[in-house]
Amino acid sequence: MKKSRNKGLSLKNKLKLSLSNFMERKWRNLLIAAATSIGFIGVLIAFGLGNAVISLIDESTNGGNIPSQVQIMLNSETAGGGFLNQDDEEYVTDSVGEDNIKYLESPFGIIMSSISLDGKVLDMSQTMPSYAQVVSLYDDTSISVMSNDKEIVVAGSLYDNANEQGLTIPMSLLKGWNESNGQNLTAEDVLGKEITATIVENTAEGSKTAQFQTTIARVINDENETEDSNSYMAPKQLESVLQDAQFTKAVSYMILELKDPSQTKAISEKLQKNKKYTIVSQQAILDIVITFIRVIQGLLVVLSSQAIVVSAVMIGIIIYINIMQRSKEIGVMKAVGYQNRDVKGIFIYEALWITGISLAIAFLVAVGIGSLANVIVNHFYPNISRVFELNALSIFCMIIFALLMGYLSAYFPARKISKMDPVESLRYE
């Protein structure tokens, strides 16, 4: 083997010697590599789970570019009970600036206690499902809602006219009516049919009831939204129903969207200074969710890293034992002119062989578990494409971390080599 006192051993020769040392005790080293891989597997699974969830959020929000909507409600602690009114709408408009507002909507609603279709009644007074609540649609028909989403509207035209007449019902309401009356009507069957609804309002003086008649304007599919979705009505017709019944127009929140989405955070903070209101933005909620996922991911990595620390200590002990067992070898090498860094490098690369094999095992196992989890979850929940995803950054960080761990685990035991006297090493038994 060629060596030079000035240049030392080449990288190629160090790798050959370290691999030779590894193979001399290959079964022990492979066992240590397998044990070390357990910690790496935990870290990779933590990375994969977090990445997949965040990736799904990005896909569903178009890369985080969700509408810059801000929800404005009364602060129950400072404003007490009650509903938003015209004064509140004027305050928001003045604070934000009318020229900066894309739209400012104030949804309101009523509760139906029963609904009559073809002379048959669906009583909702006891169970009060979500579809018993009729919520106003937006005056601005360009705002994306279930009623103007062609993939969700099962029967009827899309909502594009704030003056339309008719009630939008979810499939869950039709299903409830069919089950209650032993019928099997489809969405197309009920489209345009006249219905009579009994509505109720609970006040401090007691409950008030009234009735209104209208037709079914459209039917929407709510299977992928919630188990029971709301019913909907155009705002002008719903307000007319409230006036005829002498009910209160209860506005519990307002929806604000700015023309410039980049101003959403600043405007939200400005409105939040008024303690009368509670401000919630979609972007803020998304940021909280992603931060929470990152925190959980970090905790899982820390927990898995405990096993990695134990493995690093174990590798260090093995390298130290190897050094002691090869003291005579080391003495010969130093006596013939090998430098300390050459000899130390051989043992450090031996530790890196162990670490590299453990990392390869970890990747194979983690990807196998993650791929299996993706198939199983997608089978039972088709809307979820994956729950495990390793991106390039995660793989790069894992490789760098593993190599650093392998280096440090062998570096400190290998320092003993520089203190070994060649003469004394040759006498070592």
Side-chain angles (χ1 to χ4, degrees), residues 15-152:
L15 288 172
K16 280 185 176 180
L17 287 171
S18 63
L19 181 58
S20 177
N21 287 350
F22 177 90
M23 295 304 293
E24 282 183 22
R25 296 171 176 82
K26 60 183 177 183
W27 297 116
R28 183 191 68 182
N29 290 335
L30 288 173
L31 185 62
I32 294 169
T36 303
S37 68
I38 295 173
F40 291 152
I41 292 170
V43 173
L44 287 170
I45 289 177
F47 279 145
L49 292 174
N51 293 341
V53 174
I54 292 174
S55 178
L56 287 173
I57 291 174
D58 283 341
E59 287 179 8
S60 61
T61 59
N62 190 25
N65 296 320
I66 59 176
S68 53
Q69 289 183 349
V70 177
Q71 185 169 311
I72 305 165
M73 302 170 289
L74 288 177
N75 187 332
S76 58
E77 295 183 0
T78 57
F83 300 99
L84 296 167
N85 53 37
Q86 186 64 35
D87 291 339
D88 297 307
E89 186 171 334
E90 291 175 358
Y91 170 79
V92 172
T93 302
D94 292 341
S95 299
V96 177
E98 191 170 352
D99 293 338
N100 298 322
I101 296 176
K102 182 177 180 180
Y103 62 78
L104 179 62
E105 296 278 351
S106 304
F108 56 98
I110 55 176
I111 297 293
M112 299 185 295
S113 60
S114 67
I115 185 170
S116 175
L117 172 65
D118 286 345
K120 295 180 174 60
V121 178
L122 170 62
D123 185 4
M124 301 174 283
S125 60
Q126 300 302 314
T127 56
M128 280 297 170
S130 294
Y131 53 69
Q133 178 167 291
V134 182
V135 179
S136 65
L137 293 167
Y138 295 138
D139 284 310
D140 186 345
T141 59
S142 66
I143 301 172
S144 178
V145 291
M146 295 173 68
S147 296
N148 59 22
D149 188 334
K150 62 182 179 181
E151 294 184 359
I152 296 179

Side-chain angles (χ1 to χ4, degrees), residues 126-275:
Q126 300 302 314
T127 56
M128 280 297 170
S130 294
Y131 53 69
Q133 178 167 291
V134 182
V135 179
S136 65
L137 293 167
Y138 295 138
D139 284 310
D140 186 345
T141 59
S142 66
I143 301 172
S144 178
V145 291
M146 295 173 68
S147 296
N148 59 22
D149 188 334
K150 62 182 179 181
E151 294 184 359
I152 296 179
V153 175
V154 179
S157 59
L158 301 183
Y159 173 66
D160 60 3
N161 181 7
N163 295 310
E164 74 168 18
Q165 299 291 305
L167 181 69
T168 299
I169 66 169
M171 284 296 296
S172 51
L173 188 154
L174 179 56
K175 180 181 177 182
W177 185 89
N178 278 331
E179 291 176 352
S180 177
N181 294 285
Q183 300 292 309
N184 193 30
L185 297 183
T186 66
E188 292 291 345
D189 292 336
V190 300
L191 190 64
K193 281 185 174 288
E194 188 173 281
I195 63 167
T196 301
T198 300
I199 54 177
V200 60
E201 180 183 48
N202 295 315
T203 66
E205 292 77 25
S207 296
K208 295 180 358 184
T209 62
Q211 287 188 333
F212 72 88
Q213 290 183 329
T214 189
T215 57
I216 296 178
R218 69 184 55 83
V219 182
I220 55 176
N221 183 1
D222 57 336
E223 289 182 355
N224 296 328
E225 297 298 322
T226 58
E227 185 175 350
D228 292 318
S229 297
N230 296 325
S231 300
Y232 300 95
M233 187 178 285
K236 290 182 173 57
Q237 184 187 9
L238 186 56
E239 190 160 6
S240 175
V241 169
L242 289 173
Q243 290 176 352
D244 293 342
Q246 297 183 340
F247 281 10
T248 304
K249 181 182 177 182
V251 177
S252 55
Y253 65 95
M254 290 187 289
I255 297 293
L256 167 70
E257 182 165 350
L258 304 174
K259 293 179 181 177
D260 183 4
S262 64
Q263 295 297 314
T264 302
K265 184 176 180 180
I267 292 298
S268 297
E269 291 175 351
K270 181 178 180 180
L271 293 173
Q272 191 65 69
K273 291 179 181 179
N274 188 331
K275 300 303 180 183

Side-chain angles (χ1 to χ4, degrees), residues 187-412:
E188 292 291 345
D189 292 336
V190 300
L191 190 64
K193 281 185 174 288
E194 188 173 281
I195 63 167
T196 301
T198 300
I199 54 177
V200 60
E201 180 183 48
N202 295 315
T203 66
E205 292 77 25
S207 296
K208 295 180 358 184
T209 62
Q211 287 188 333
F212 72 88
Q213 290 183 329
T214 189
T215 57
I216 296 178
R218 69 184 55 83
V219 182
I220 55 176
N221 183 1
D222 57 336
E223 289 182 355
N224 296 328
E225 297 298 322
T226 58
E227 185 175 350
D228 292 318
S229 297
N230 296 325
S231 300
Y232 300 95
M233 187 178 285
K236 290 182 173 57
Q237 184 187 9
L238 186 56
E239 190 160 6
S240 175
V241 169
L242 289 173
Q243 290 176 352
D244 293 342
Q246 297 183 340
F247 281 10
T248 304
K249 181 182 177 182
V251 177
S252 55
Y253 65 95
M254 290 187 289
I255 297 293
L256 167 70
E257 182 165 350
L258 304 174
K259 293 179 181 177
D260 183 4
S262 64
Q263 295 297 314
T264 302
K265 184 176 180 180
I267 292 298
S268 297
E269 291 175 351
K270 181 178 180 180
L271 293 173
Q272 191 65 69
K273 291 179 181 179
N274 188 331
K275 300 303 180 183
K276 180 181 178 181
Y277 305 106
T278 295
I279 310 299
V280 179
S281 71
Q282 292 175 303
Q283 188 61 56
I285 294 173
L286 183 62
D287 290 342
I288 291 172
V289 170
I290 292 177
T291 300
F292 181 75
I293 293 169
R294 290 297 189 195
V295 169
I296 296 298
Q297 188 181 41
L299 290 175
L300 291 174
V301 169
V302 170
L303 291 174
S304 300
S305 296
Q306 295 179 22
I308 295 177
V309 172
V310 173
S311 299
V313 173
M314 186 166 56
I315 292 173
I317 293 172
I318 293 301
I319 296 300
Y320 180 82
I321 293 172
N322 288 350
I323 290 171
M324 299 306 297
Q325 290 176 339
R326 290 188 170 92
S327 290
K328 192 171 287 189
E329 268 183 62
I330 294 171
V332 172
M333 295 174 74
K334 295 180 74 171
V336 299
Y338 285 109
Q339 299 180 32
N340 285 329
R341 70 170 181 268
D342 296 329
V343 185
K344 283 193 292 185
I346 294 171
F347 290 98
I348 288 174
Y349 285 125
E350 184 179 353
L352 292 178
W353 280 114
I354 296 173
T355 306
I357 292 173
S358 68
L359 189 58
I361 294 171
F363 272 119
L364 289 173
V365 175
V367 170
I369 293 174
S371 299
L372 181 61
N374 286 340
V375 171
I376 293 173
V377 172
N378 185 251
H379 175 74
F380 289 101
Y381 304 96
N383 292 329
I384 301 177
S385 58
R386 61 194 176 279
V387 292
F388 180 87
E389 178 185 302
L390 282 177
N391 56 29
L393 179 60
S394 299
I395 294 172
F396 177 76
C397 290
M398 191 73 259
I399 292 173
I400 296 299
F401 177 73
L403 293 177
L404 181 62
M405 185 214 78
Y407 177 82
L408 292 176
S409 65
Y411 175 78
F412 293 102

